[in-house]
Amino acid sequence: MNDLLAARSTMAFSLGFHIIFAAIGMTMPFFMSAAHYFYLKRKRPEYLELTKMWMKGVAILFAVGAVSGTVLSFELGLLWPGFMKYAGPIIGMPFSWEGTAFFLEAIAIGLFLYGWNRMHPWVHWATGLVVGISGFASGIFVVSANSWMNNPQGFTWVNGVVTNVDPVAAMFNKSWLHQTLHMQLAALQAVGFAVGGIHAYLYLKGRARDLNLKAMKIAMAFGAAAAIVQPFAGHFAAQKVAEYQPAKLAAMEGHFKTEKSADLYIGGIPDVEDQEMDYGLPIPGALSFLAFNDFNAEVKGLDQFPKEDWPPVVITHISFQVMVAIGTLMAILGSLYFYYLYLKKFPNNFLRALCACIPLGFIGIEAGWVVTEVGRQPWIIQGFLRTSEALSPIPGMQFHFYLFLLLYLFLGFVTVWLLKRMIQATQKKFEVPHD
Amino acid sequence: MIEILLFFIGASLLLYVLFGGADYGAGILEMLPAGKLREAQKKVINEAMGPVWEANHMWLVLVVVILFMGFPPVFTTLMISLHIPMVALLVGIVIRGCAFTFRHYDAVQEPRSQRVYTILFALSSVWTSLWLGIIVASLNRGRMDMHTQHFYDAYVAPWFGIYPLTMGVFVVVIFAFLASVYLIGETQDLELKRMFTRRAFFLNIFVVLCGGLVFASAEAESSSLLQEFIKHKIALLMMVFATLMYMLLWFVIRRQKTLWVRILSAAQVTLILGGWLFLYAPNALITTEGPMSFYTAAAPPATQLQLVIALIVGSCFIFPSLFYLMKVFKT
């Protein structure tokens, strides 16, 4: 493994690890607050139990998310000093706001976790809500910093010297809106389906049925709504990518030759040697329509770019397909959820489908993130700076890679083990009430 | 504008040392023998730290953000030259935060897993504080070499040596001292109070001893720390006051005046850090080619302005919330 690959892989799993905890950390507090709200309104003990169970989950996941986020803030410099040298002054602004939001979140979570019976119940409830709101805001700030890497603005670049820095223009670049919208919805969707799925599973197993059904409904209310809106947000995002990052779009779609009325492929494996798509199912003109709302529009292919500027086509294409497939499935299940809610009866097969969705949303997030990041290669700042030029000069990056891989695997394992212990303990407690 | 940013860096560092430092110290104290008070001590530490540790930890993140947005050359130089200690620090931060949370939120509280969490928490508290001290000492040691191709000179020499190591030990001792002082007021149990008082007393002696050792080791390395202090009157005065404060502390700790012990120990640590910062201001770090000043390393004015706005607006949210947090849990 050379240093560049080791550094990229380190960044990949650090972010891939953090993104799961970040998604949970910024959306699950809303589920928790909803359960807490129902408890305060209706005084039913199962809502209190549910609030406390989710709260403990939030506490554990928040801590892991917070420390892995701290690691990332250092790793930006430890791995990519050549990037931070330029990017810090231009795109540091959303990070400084993220810092503020995250600070508030850290304070609010202390108040909520330990504040039972120390504050007015509704003030206490509000602190839980602040955890969610500030977490959600952090997510928006961080993703808008990432969108700048995809669509850099707010500076003048002459031979590697940056002038005319405008941090505000950099933050509100033309990609920030579609990227944040897409990501925040994805977080709600993935976490909603995961939590809903876990409770559907426990419900099917016949454990504490009332509790689990209520829990499933709260989580799915968020997850299903987000899943239904997501395809529209995704379509909006794809159109922006077509406009600002045509090479990324071409890689996403495995689109080699520039043409009018371009086909959209469902599935398929791009053959980079022969520059064609194998095994895919083509839909005539659909790519042109999706990208530009016009069946005859010309879509730029990879042939418009020098080969050394091509993103890894196979990885980008497959990740994109995985993301779209998961998104579509979830949109269908989300619609069905509201239909069954209206009928007031959830068929067992639907609940089984939800169980299957527990990991799907996270796989979708990871796939989507691969599309964004790998699809931008070989650039770290699209069109200005290559990833290889940003790499730290320190040799032996593979040691860094192994060290953090080991640490994160261990942490991930312990976290899952802890959550399992927690769910089992709560279920037991609720099945055999003891006073 | 740069002065405002420097103020925020100094203030964040100070708050990180005072609050985050006390949290680290709590973990370090768990390494010391406590006999039958072990469980009681763990309980007090869990309760005192639980609501605040996430917030206390944020001061460090704030410093990192100010550096990479406001002073990019400082940030990149640190991350390249001090890559190894920074990685060591990060590993410690990750294990420490997780071990503490897991210990508290594990739904099944059985002795075996609890012992593992406690050992990890205590060890990583010592480990992280040690590396923090090593990093601090490396800043002004003048051995960061940005042009050499030689691995040792580029990535080891900047932080490897007796002076950074004693600084690391000094930081461990200071954090442990802060924690013991702080914990005296966090418990009603008389036996525990006596234990923390005893520890605060001895640790304060160690603070002064280790402080002396830091100077001695700097001399041994022929870093001119002592001469720098003698040249710089404000820094020297602050360090002298910090040492004098020791007498007063000795007196109030003996009499268990909780509030005064807290105020005076915070003042002592503030003077030590303040003296240190004044000594080198406005330099951020010293490389083999000479000092790198915050003024020459600053980002463009537009960036500075945005950073100042974010910090000031952020403070308007953060300080009232922090105040409320303290009011709910600490009164």
Side-chain angles (χ1 to χ4, degrees):
Chain A
M1 195 184 321
N2 65 22
D3 285 325
L4 179 62
L5 184 64
R8 281 184 57 193
S9 310
T10 307
M11 202 64 191
F13 74 70
S14 304
L15 266 167
F17 183 87
H18 178 69
I19 207 169
I20 291 177
F21 293 94
I24 299 170
M26 69 196 184
T27 52
M28 203 153 156
F30 289 118
F31 307 173
M32 178 185 86
S33 291
H36 195 189
Y37 175 85
F38 289 131
Y39 169 69
L40 291 174
K41 277 284 175 195
R42 299 181 194 162
K43 303 282 176 224
R44 300 273 300 268
E46 61 266 31
Y47 281 119
L48 180 63
E49 209 54 54
L50 194 55
T51 311
K52 291 205 167 170
M53 183 173 78
W54 281 347
M55 174 189 89
K56 286 178 190 161
V58 166
I60 291 172
L61 296 165
F62 184 87
V64 180
V67 292
S68 57
T70 308
V71 170
L72 278 174
S73 70
F74 279 79
E75 271 184 348
L76 285 175
L78 288 172
L79 303 176
W80 313 110
F83 167 68
M84 291 312 288
K85 185 172 63 175
Y86 299 111
I90 309 174
I91 200 59
M93 185 180 138
F95 283 113
S96 63
W97 287 107
E98 196 267 345
T100 303
F102 190 58
F103 210 138
L104 279 180
E105 193 181 353
I107 296 170
I109 204 163
L111 282 167
F112 185 78
L113 294 179
Y114 293 84
W116 296 88
N117 306 325
R118 278 173 182 261
M119 293 177 262
H120 185 278
W122 282 106
V123 176
H124 180 236
W125 174 79
T127 61
L129 196 61
V130 172
V131 175
I133 294 170
S134 49
F136 210 70
S138 309
I140 292 175
F141 290 128
V142 166
V143 176
S144 81
N146 176 268
S147 71
W148 175 82
M149 295 161 74
N150 289 320
N151 199 351
Q153 282 165 12
F155 61 94
T156 313
W157 179 289
V158 185
N159 297 329
V161 179
V162 170
T163 48
N164 291 331
V165 172
D166 181 351
V168 182
M171 177 175 165
F172 297 103
N173 59 74
K174 288 186 186 127
S175 293
W176 85 277
L177 185 64
H178 73 257
Q179 274 198 232
T180 52
L181 192 66
H182 197 43
M183 179 67 224
Q184 301 306 94
L185 283 172
L188 280 169
Q189 179 179 355
V191 181
F193 273 80
V195 175
I198 290 172
H199 290 288
Y201 173 75
L202 295 168
Y203 175 85
L204 284 172
K205 276 183 77 180
R207 311 194 56 175
R209 288 199 123 182
D210 190 39
L211 174 82
N212 285 313
L213 191 65
K214 284 191 166 81
M216 192 271 286
K217 280 187 184 170
I218 293 175
M220 280 305 290
F222 290 93
I228 294 170
V229 185
Q230 185 69 290
F232 299 100
H235 175 58
F236 172 53
Q239 291 202 327
K240 296 291 175 188
V241 172
E243 198 177 338
Y244 302 119
Q245 291 185 288
K248 183 188 273 183
L249 184 85
M252 279 155 66
E253 301 286 359
H255 184 59
F256 291 98
K257 293 180 188 67
T258 305
E259 57 187 356
K260 289 189 173 171
S261 187
D263 298 350
L264 180 77
Y265 281 90
I266 300 201
I269 299 168
D271 183 340
V272 183
E273 286 284 291
D274 299 337
Q275 309 210 356
E276 57 192 30
M277 180 69 81
D278 297 340
Y279 315 117
L281 173 70
I283 304 175
L287 179 56
S288 293
F289 181 75
L290 274 180
F292 300 105
N293 289 332
D294 172 5
F295 281 103
N296 284 315
E298 184 180 271
V299 182
K300 270 192 188 171
L302 286 163
D303 57 2
Q304 295 287 308
F305 306 93
K307 210 159 184 186
E308 69 266 20
D309 286 358
W310 287 16
V313 182
V314 180
I315 298 178
T316 314
H317 175 71
I318 292 176
S319 306
F320 181 63
Q321 296 276 328
V322 168
M323 177 185 77
V324 171
I326 290 173
T328 311
L329 177 71
M330 284 186 155
I332 296 168
L333 287 175
S335 313
L336 277 176
Y337 168 78
F338 285 113
Y339 174 67
Y340 291 129
L341 186 70
Y342 171 74
L343 293 182
K344 295 195 173 125
K345 171 136 184 59
F346 296 97
N348 282 350
N349 276 336
F350 174 74
L351 295 176
R352 281 189 202 109
L354 285 189
C355 301
C357 283
I358 296 171
L360 274 192
F362 294 114
I363 297 173
I365 287 184
E366 299 287 2
W369 167 73
V370 168
V371 172
T372 317
E373 298 296 287
V374 176
R376 192 188 55 244
Q377 301 305 321
W379 302 104
I380 193 165
I381 306 174
Q382 177 82 42
F384 292 96
L385 188 72
R386 283 170 192 273
T387 312
S388 55
E389 295 168 306
L391 181 67
S392 174
I394 187 167
M397 268 303 166
Q398 63 270 32
F399 296 111
H400 192 121
F401 171 80
Y402 292 127
L403 178 67
F404 279 88
L405 186 66
L406 212 66
L407 185 65
Y408 278 18
L409 282 177
F410 173 70
L411 265 187
F413 171 77
V414 178
T415 311
V416 171
W417 179 71
L418 279 172
L419 291 180
K420 194 169 153 242
R421 261 156 84 102
M422 185 187 73
I423 291 170
Q424 282 169 345
T426 312
Q427 303 292 324
K428 264 192 207 135
K429 191 169 162 191
F430 214 72
E431 279 163 0
V432 196
H434 45 76
D435 275 317
Chain B
M1 206 92 79
I2 292 176
E3 287 77 10
I4 303 177
L5 294 180
L6 291 183
F7 169 77
F8 271 101
I9 291 182
S12 303
L13 274 179
L14 178 63
L15 291 168
Y16 185 59
V17 169
L18 288 181
F19 293 110
D23 288 351
Y24 281 109
I28 298 166
L29 288 183
E30 296 205 17
M31 295 281 283
L32 302 179
K36 59 184 180 3
L37 289 175
R38 184 167 291 280
E39 277 305 308
Q41 170 178 273
K42 183 181 141 190
K43 192 160 167 285
V44 176
I45 289 175
N46 266 355
E47 280 167 10
M49 258 181 75
V52 292
W53 81 268
E54 313 249 24
N56 291 346
H57 161 83
M58 284 305 295
W59 298 112
L60 178 67
V61 178
L62 202 59
V63 174
V64 171
V65 170
I66 298 177
L67 282 184
F68 80 53
M69 181 174 174
F71 307 96
V74 175
F75 180 73
T76 47
T77 308
L78 286 182
M79 293 295 157
I80 294 171
S81 292
L82 302 181
H83 188 103
I84 295 167
M86 290 287 179
V87 167
L89 179 80
L90 280 181
V91 171
I93 286 177
V94 170
I95 293 179
R96 191 177 164 278
C98 291
F100 180 73
T101 310
F102 292 171
R103 177 165 94 169
H104 195 84
Y105 278 101
D106 191 344
V108 186
Q109 300 266 332
E110 30 125 2
R112 213 169 45 140
S113 53
Q114 284 291 314
R115 202 160 47 236
V116 175
Y117 299 138
T118 300
I119 291 172
L120 281 178
F121 173 57
L123 279 179
S124 57
S125 295
V126 176
W127 169 268
T128 316
S129 315
L130 190 72
W131 285 103
L132 212 57
I134 290 175
I135 290 170
V136 166
S138 310
L139 294 180
N140 299 310
R141 214 162 145 243
R143 307 222 172 152
M144 296 180 193
D145 190 340
M146 297 305 289
H147 298 291
T148 175
Q149 296 296 317
H150 196 270
F151 185 86
Y152 180 87
D153 291 343
Y155 306 110
V156 180
W159 55 270
F160 188 75
I162 179 81
Y163 164 50
L165 189 68
T166 36
M167 183 67 103
V169 175
F170 180 60
V171 168
V172 173
V173 174
I174 262 199
F175 284 177
F177 164 67
L178 276 174
S180 49
V181 160
Y182 178 73
L183 287 168
I184 299 171
E186 289 293 303
T187 176
Q188 299 306 319
D189 184 303
L190 279 180
E191 226 179 326
L192 263 185
K193 260 185 194 295
R194 264 201 299 277
M195 181 174 87
F196 289 131
T197 309
R198 209 165 45 239
R199 286 180 172 183
F201 181 70
F202 285 111
L203 283 165
N204 196 21
I205 297 176
F206 274 109
V207 167
V208 177
L209 278 178
C210 287
L213 275 181
V214 167
F215 281 100
S217 61
E219 285 306 314
E221 264 195 358
S222 59
S223 299
S224 51
L225 189 62
L226 203 58
Q227 282 134 341
E228 296 281 339
F229 264 106
I230 290 168
K231 267 190 281 181
H232 199 298
K233 293 290 171 283
I234 300 178
L236 183 68
L237 212 63
M238 287 173 106
M239 220 43 96
V240 170
F241 268 117
T243 316
L244 287 179
M245 201 71 91
Y246 164 70
M247 303 291 175
L248 270 173
L249 263 171
W250 190 80
F251 181 76
V252 288
I253 290 175
R254 269 287 148 105
R255 274 160 190 68
Q256 293 203 1
K257 304 218 176 280
T258 309
L259 182 67
W260 277 106
V261 178
R262 278 190 188 185
I263 292 174
L264 287 176
S265 54
Q268 187 187 35
V269 174
T270 307
L271 284 170
I272 294 173
L273 183 75
W276 178 261
L277 291 177
F278 262 105
L279 184 65
Y280 290 105
N283 292 330
L285 48 88
I286 302 176
T287 69
T288 46
E289 288 171 5
M292 181 187 283
S293 153
F294 277 111
Y295 284 90
T296 52
T303 304
Q304 291 172 30
L305 177 68
Q306 291 305 326
L307 185 53
V308 165
I309 293 175
L311 288 170
I312 290 175
V313 174
S315 305
C316 298
F317 284 101
I318 288 167
F319 281 102
S321 320
L322 264 185
F323 185 75
Y324 184 65
L325 182 74
M326 295 296 168
K327 187 170 164 273
V328 169
F329 293 107
K330 302 296 172 194
T331 51

